[in-house]
Amino acid sequence: MPTKGFLRFKLIFKVLFLGLSMAGHFLIHAQQTSQTTTITLAEVTLQAPQLETSRFLLPASVSVINWAPLQGFQQQLSLQEYLRAVPGLFTLNATNYAQDLRLSIRGFGSRAAFGIRGVKIIVDGIPETTPDGQGQVDNLPLGLLGTIEVLRGPSASLYGNAAGGVLYLNTLDDLQGEALRVRISLGAYGFQNHQLSTSFNKGKTTGFFHFSKTITDGFRTFSGLEQSLFNAKIKQQFNAKSHLNVQVNYTYSPRAEDPGGLTLEEAEADFRQARQRNLEYDTFEKINQLKIGARWNYKLRTQWNFETYGFYSIRDFYGKLPFEDGGIVDLFRNYFGLGSRLKFKEVGTQLIHRWQLGIDSHAQRDQRDRYLNLKGIQGERVFSQLESFGTVGLVLLDELQWEKLLLRSGLRLDHQRLGADTVTKDQLYTVLNPSIGLSYALVPRQRLFINFSTSFETPTLSELSANPSGEEGFNSSLLPAKAINYEGGWKSQSAKGSFELTAFYIQSTNEILPYELESFPGRSFYRNAGATERYGVEMAAAYKWEKWGLQASLTQARYQFSAQELEPSAGKILPGVPSSQGFLQLLYSSSRSWKWLLAGDHTGTFYANTINTVEIASFQRLRLQGQKSLTLPWGKVEVFGGINNLLNTAYYDNIRLNAFGGRYYEPAPARNFYAGLSLGF
């Protein structure tokens, strides 16, 4: 919904895009200078592609964001704060803490009614996404995020099921010279965040411990959150060839309230109100989660490297939904797995050869119980089911690098078993996913690439158990989705900046989408909606000049159901994903230890339902942040603050897809402030 500041913001966007165009022209011109000019390139080696290839050489679309030097700016309330610069990636639902952040990459994951589907999440080398494809980020230690790697295309040849894209998060290992850090921040709507971090270094053993507590009343009525989080990382260096990393994460959230979706009339009458039915049924969620993981790395010889990991996670979830029959969900999840990688690298005079052989085995057990919700009071149990998902995957990657050419191929075989104690026969899937990519150096600092990859996505256990009949067991009519991805692009980098332009085309079948029924208002069911075609162009650029830094991205795409299908949705646009997105960020670092960050983003129109009768208007947001650092004899002091939604734009934080009764809308916060203090010793 446009505001008085819209025209002003639009002018700012035009000016910044003009600056981007000039920066891009400078980068291209720089490539045409003498080939004997010495330029130091900022090579970034990635972990998400598993062979640790340079970002510039990789024949795939990938985004890398280093947040370590900019963490002092952040409110650290939602992962959305850290992902706005990634082209092709779209997030919703950053402020309904009972539903969790919804994230999609090129349309993968857009179907999620809550949480993340179809996108693989990896944290410090340990999978966060369950084998069936469910992902939550409510347990992430946002204050510890260091770098974020995003593979923006289907990556099933690397990570198996539900890898329509990959989000690889690396957290900090230490306090960068400090032994203790205390951080306190306060803000609008009762926001409080308290953090305590400490680290130690005892020769071959290092440790990092972090505790945070977050409380907020939320922008809307009945949208509060209380959460405590503990994170520990310990590294043991046995010798020059071997080290072990151990990580522990514990999250306790006693209450995250759900104010529910509103009709357009209700939202326009009062942006901050909660749905009355949600108040009556006391809709909220409670989470208790523990995750333990370990990774061991051993260098066999100069050319060989062996890695193995293991993890175990338990998640105790209790939630209330705004209806009676099965309106209270009690879920206890066990999730564990093992994996190993054998890597080889040979450097010749004209050829560098890398390959990897890997195996993964993951398992998931969900005890799902549903009870009557008698206006907020738990009634008798009406559903009980033990659900399971197990998978074993074998992966082979190979990479050949010549002076100007790099050829990368991958092949992964997965065997999956889905079952429940109320079902007599398990569902079995055996899937082979290939990929192949090629990059070629036009000149030393420009590179072309092409890539072919696939994805395979089973319905999640929660989607299968959402049976429209209301009976136990699985919805047997729900089938896995498959996709094929073609992409190509151009990369350029210099000592001061980088530029990437990518075009993609994706075909999918058996797309899974949510819908609601009148008898279960507020509960999502799922069905296959036919085939889709997705194509578009993505651009990303970064440039540094003295005290200034510019970062930008642009996405122009079309995500539509195939017109050849006989479904009612044929030719319609995939709901929940905008066709255009833009991001611009300007950073200024003064000589007096001040840092200022101005960031704006644009979200184009998109649809709230599959038949495209409800259109969500485009909107723009602007954010201003600042930080002052002081170094004192006893330590370091940082004062920081920010203004979110600077122009007070009225827009919707979340859209509930295909919601019954027109309850699509969840309003977003108005202009709001936060400020804080950080002390390092």
Side-chain angles (χ1 to χ4, degrees):
M1 300 174 69
T3 66
K4 295 180 179 179
F6 172 74
L7 294 178
R8 184 174 11 145
F9 183 70
K10 189 175 182 181
L11 177 61
I12 293 172
F13 241 71
K14 288 183 177 180
V15 172
L16 290 179
F17 266 118
L18 178 61
L20 171 64
S21 301
M22 294 174 64
H25 174 75
F26 177 85
L27 285 172
I28 296 172
H29 178 72
Q31 314 304 330
Q32 298 170 348
T33 58
S34 170
Q35 297 301 312
T36 62
T37 302
T38 300
I39 295 180
T40 303
L41 301 180
E43 291 289 348
V44 179
T45 300
L46 305 179
Q47 299 184 57
Q50 297 190 7
L51 282 178
E52 298 181 352
T53 306
S54 162
R55 172 191 179 186
F56 182 60
L57 300 177
L58 190 71
S61 52
V62 58
S63 298
V64 182
I65 306 174
N66 181 15
W67 276 107
L70 298 178
Q71 272 285 15
F73 285 113
Q74 303 308 306
Q75 188 174 8
Q76 301 177 4
L77 184 57
S78 169
L79 185 63
Q80 185 185 75
E81 303 171 39
Y82 300 85
L83 298 173
R84 289 172 173 168
V86 181
L89 186 152
F90 181 58
T91 57
L92 281 172
N93 210 43
T95 59
N96 185 329
Y97 309 106
Q99 296 289 321
D100 206 2
L101 186 71
R102 289 173 53 199
L103 182 152
S104 64
I105 299 177
R106 295 180 180 172
F108 292 99
S110 61
R111 79 175 189 269
F114 61 91
I116 299 171
R117 306 286 187 272
V119 175
K120 190 73 71 173
I121 306 171
I122 312 292
V123 181
D124 291 326
I126 303 296
E128 189 69 34
T129 304
T130 55
D132 68 340
Q134 299 181 72
Q136 285 84 27
V137 292
D138 49 18
N139 65 315
L140 290 180
L142 298 179
L144 301 184
L145 286 181
T147 60
I148 300 176
E149 303 173 17
V150 183
L151 297 180
R152 305 199 307 269
S155 305
S157 64
L158 297 175
Y159 292 99
N161 182 45
V166 178
L167 200 65
Y168 197 105
L169 309 173
N170 297 291
T171 62
L172 301 176
D173 295 320
D174 55 48
L175 289 176
Q176 300 174 332
E178 300 171 355
L180 179 68
R181 181 182 297 166
V182 178
R183 189 180 196 266
I184 300 173
S185 53
L186 305 173
Y189 316 125
F191 168 73
Q192 300 179 47
N193 179 256
H194 308 273
Q195 298 182 21
L196 177 65
S197 304
T198 183
S199 62
F200 70 86
N201 189 335
K202 299 293 184 181
K204 294 184 177 181
T205 305
T206 59
F208 187 26
F209 303 92
H210 173 81
F211 171 80
S212 70
K213 184 177 181 65
T214 301
I215 300 173
T216 179
D217 296 331
F219 167 67
R220 297 174 61 192
T221 301
F222 199 68
S223 63
L225 167 72
E226 180 181 347
Q227 182 189 71
S228 298
L229 185 147
F230 172 77
N231 203 76
K233 295 177 69 175
I234 298 175
K235 180 177 180 179
Q236 177 66 44
Q237 187 77 42
F238 297 109
N239 50 54
K241 295 183 177 181
S242 175
H243 67 267
L244 176 69
N245 291 300
V246 178
Q247 54 184 273
V248 178
N249 174 269
Y250 174 70
T251 303
Y252 176 62
S253 178
R255 191 171 181 89
E257 296 168 335
D258 180 8
L262 304 175
T263 64
L264 183 60
E265 293 75 15
E266 291 171 335
E268 290 179 339
D270 182 1
F271 239 48
R272 300 192 65 173
Q273 69 172 304
R275 184 188 178 207
Q276 184 59 37
R277 190 180 180 98
N278 283 53
L279 295 173
E280 294 174 356
Y281 283 82
D282 190 28
T283 55
F284 78 96
E285 71 171 24
K286 176 182 178 181
I287 294 173
N288 210 342
Q289 177 168 320
L290 173 66
K291 181 180 179 181
I292 301 173
R295 290 188 300 151
W296 179 55
N297 184 285
Y298 182 71
K299 294 183 179 180
L300 300 173
R301 292 181 181 178
T302 305
Q303 298 174 318
W304 296 87
N305 190 70
F306 179 73
E307 297 178 357
T308 189
Y309 70 87
F311 66 94
Y312 177 74
S313 177
I314 56 174
R315 183 178 177 92
D316 190 359
F317 171 90
Y318 182 87
K320 295 181 181 180
L321 300 171
F323 52 87
E324 180 175 321
D325 189 9
I328 292 180
V329 180
D330 192 348
L331 173 71
F332 189 82
R333 170 176 296 156
N334 285 274
Y335 167 32
F336 48 91
L338 298 168
S340 297
R341 300 285 186 270
L342 179 64
K343 299 181 180 181
F344 173 83
K345 179 180 179 180
E346 182 180 19
V347 180
T349 56
Q350 297 182 340
L351 174 69
I352 299 177
H353 185 201
R354 302 181 184 91
W355 63 261
Q356 172 186 286
L357 180 64
I359 183 171
D360 299 291
S361 179
H362 298 165
Q364 174 184 350
R365 301 287 186 272
D366 289 1
Q367 176 60 51
R368 191 183 311 274
D369 296 318
R370 295 196 181 105
Y371 300 83
L372 295 177
N373 185 352
L374 305 174
K375 296 293 182 68
I377 300 174
Q378 181 173 310
E380 64 176 329
R381 187 171 65 182
V382 295
F383 180 96
S384 181
Q385 185 168 271
L386 177 62
E387 303 158 2
S388 62
F389 194 114
T391 179
V392 177
L394 295 172
V395 58
L396 176 63
L397 303 176
D398 189 77
E399 189 174 276
L400 299 171
Q401 179 184 341
W402 292 271
E403 181 181 0
K404 292 187 176 183
L405 190 69
L406 184 141
L407 176 65
R408 180 185 174 99
S409 59
L411 189 65
R412 182 179 175 109
L413 177 67
D414 284 282
H415 180 71
Q416 300 152 345
R417 178 184 293 270
L418 296 75
D421 59 356
T422 57
V423 178
T424 58
K425 186 177 181 180
D426 291 346
Q427 298 180 22
L428 302 176
Y429 301 106
T430 300
V431 189
L432 189 66
N433 283 290
S435 67
I436 186 168
L438 182 72
S439 72
Y440 176 76
L442 297 173
V443 294
R445 297 177 300 279
Q446 292 186 33
R447 208 164 185 96
L448 295 175
F449 71 91
I450 56 174
N451 179 275
F452 167 84
S453 58
T454 61
S455 76
F456 177 85
E457 185 178 355
T458 66
T460 66
L461 293 177
S462 62
E463 292 166 351
L464 287 167
S465 67
N467 202 333
S469 67
E471 300 177 354
E472 295 177 341
F474 285 157
N475 180 3
S476 59
S477 64
L478 200 55
L479 302 175
K482 299 180 181 180
I484 297 176
N485 174 69
Y486 308 89
E487 66 180 2
W490 171 65
K491 300 179 182 181
S492 173
Q493 70 175 13
S494 70
K496 292 186 176 181
S498 63
F499 186 88
E500 179 182 321
L501 184 67
T502 304
F504 66 89
Y505 176 70
I506 301 173
Q507 293 177 305
S508 76
T509 56
N510 292 331
E511 193 72 32
I512 302 172
L513 286 178
Y515 67 98
E516 292 187 6
L517 295 174
E518 183 178 4
S519 54
F520 298 94
R523 180 179 176 185
S524 294
F525 298 90
Y526 299 85
R527 59 189 168 206
N528 295 107
T532 69
E533 293 181 319
R534 314 174 193 181
Y535 52 89
V537 177
E538 300 166 347
M539 180 275 291
Y543 182 72
K544 292 183 179 180
W545 181 69
E546 295 183 354
K547 298 178 182 180
W548 296 87
L550 175 69
Q551 188 174 8
S553 65
L554 182 66
T555 304
Q556 189 64 48
R558 187 174 179 87
Y559 312 93
Q560 67 178 27
F561 293 100
S562 176
Q564 283 72 40
E565 293 290 317
L566 299 178
E567 301 286 338
S569 57
K572 302 293 185 180
I573 302 298
L574 193 68
V577 191
S579 59
S580 63
Q581 292 176 257
F583 174 84
L584 287 167
Q585 176 177 288
L586 191 63
L587 172 68
Y588 175 74
S589 302
S590 76
S591 57
R592 297 183 178 182
S593 301
W594 274 101
K595 288 184 180 180
W596 295 98
L597 192 69
L598 179 65
D601 58 85
H602 161 80
T603 298
T605 59
F606 61 97
Y607 291 99
N609 57 356
T610 305
I611 58 176
N612 293 178
T613 57
V614 180
E615 183 178 89
I616 307 302
S618 63
F619 60 88
Q620 296 78 33
R621 296 174 295 185
L622 198 62
R623 179 179 54 182
L624 177 65
Q625 298 164 284
Q627 179 191 36
K628 171 69 172 179
S629 300
L630 296 172
T631 301
L632 301 175
W634 49 265
K636 185 177 181 181
V637 179
E638 292 180 350
V639 180
F640 60 91
I643 307 175
N644 298 314
N645 195 6
L646 182 63
L647 301 181
N648 203 30
T649 301
Y651 69 99
Y652 298 104
D653 174 65
N654 185 39
I655 297 297
R656 300 201 176 205
L657 303 184
N658 296 315
F660 181 81
R663 296 175 293 95
Y664 305 107
Y665 306 93
E666 294 194 48
R671 181 191 297 117
N672 62 93
F673 307 80
Y674 70 92
L677 176 70
S678 176
L679 304 176
F681 305 91

